[in-house]
Amino acid sequence: MDNLNPTNAEPDREPISGRERVILALNCGSSSLKFGVYRVTPDHVQRLFSGEAQALGSQDGRFDAIDAHQQPLVGQSVPMITTKHALHEIERLLEQTRLGPLDGIGHRVVHGGPALRQPSLINTQVLEQLQQVTDFAPLHSPMALSLIEETSR
């Protein structure tokens, strides 16, 4: 998953301001994975494409994506779709759109517990804190942690 590995990210420092970045946002639910790819500048956020893998792990699975003008990029039935398969489809869309490497990946986590109440750079300490509070959102947190690990490889 080379296109899903942010090459310009600086995990130990704040993002460099003043330059354009391409960011993948992921929102993993208990049975779906929503995503968006955005071009971010200091003044503007532009959605380039977005979509959803629905009914993960069921015979009714689907993968759909639209561009910034709401035009379909892909819409297909994918029985037994997994988050890993959905990530491969997102990677394929990144290759087709020739956006180049991602600058970062953002993950929506339902509940970070009492210690994580604002956006955080994901590091070992943050992962440990998220693992300790999975009981706050038992249907969502394990899926989100799995997705974080998958996209960190």
Side-chain angles (χ1 to χ4, degrees):
M1 291 191 213
D2 293 336
N3 280 340
L4 294 180
N5 186 3
T7 59
N8 298 323
E10 297 182 25
D12 296 329
R13 299 196 330 219
E14 290 295 314
I16 299 170
S17 61
R19 71 173 174 92
E20 179 179 291
R21 295 183 301 267
V22 176
I23 305 295
L24 169 63
L26 297 171
N27 178 358
C28 191
S30 59
S31 64
S32 68
L33 172 61
K34 295 178 180 143
F35 65 92
V37 175
Y38 301 87
R39 178 173 289 124
V40 180
T41 67
D43 310 333
H44 186 68
V45 175
Q46 176 190 12
R47 183 177 53 84
L48 302 173
F49 64 87
S50 61
E52 180 176 10
Q54 303 171 32
L56 295 173
S58 84
Q59 289 298 323
D60 299 324
R62 286 196 56 78
F63 184 84
D64 297 284
I66 57 173
D67 67 15
H69 305 289
Q70 306 296 323
Q71 297 300 307
L73 295 172
V74 64
Q76 60 190 10
S77 175
V78 186
M80 304 308 288
I81 189 168
T82 64
T83 55
K84 190 171 189 169
H85 182 188
L87 288 172
H88 282 293
E89 291 296 323
I90 295 167
E91 183 175 31
R92 189 179 59 76
L93 287 170
L94 286 166
E95 290 170 359
Q96 287 177 348
T97 55
R98 298 181 180 159
L99 292 173
L102 293 172
D103 294 297
I105 298 175
H107 294 271
R108 178 184 173 268
V109 176
V110 172
H111 203 303
L116 298 173
R117 295 176 168 248
Q118 61 189 18
S120 303
L121 289 175
I122 296 174
N123 58 28
T124 304
Q125 180 183 0
V126 168
L127 278 174
E128 288 171 0
Q129 289 174 333
L130 290 172
Q131 289 164 348
Q132 291 172 7
V133 297
T134 57
D135 288 345
F136 284 111
L139 296 178
H140 294 87
S141 293
M143 295 285 285
L145 286 167
S146 174
L147 188 61
I148 290 168
E149 290 174 14
E150 184 68 32
T151 57
S152 297
R153 293 182 186 159

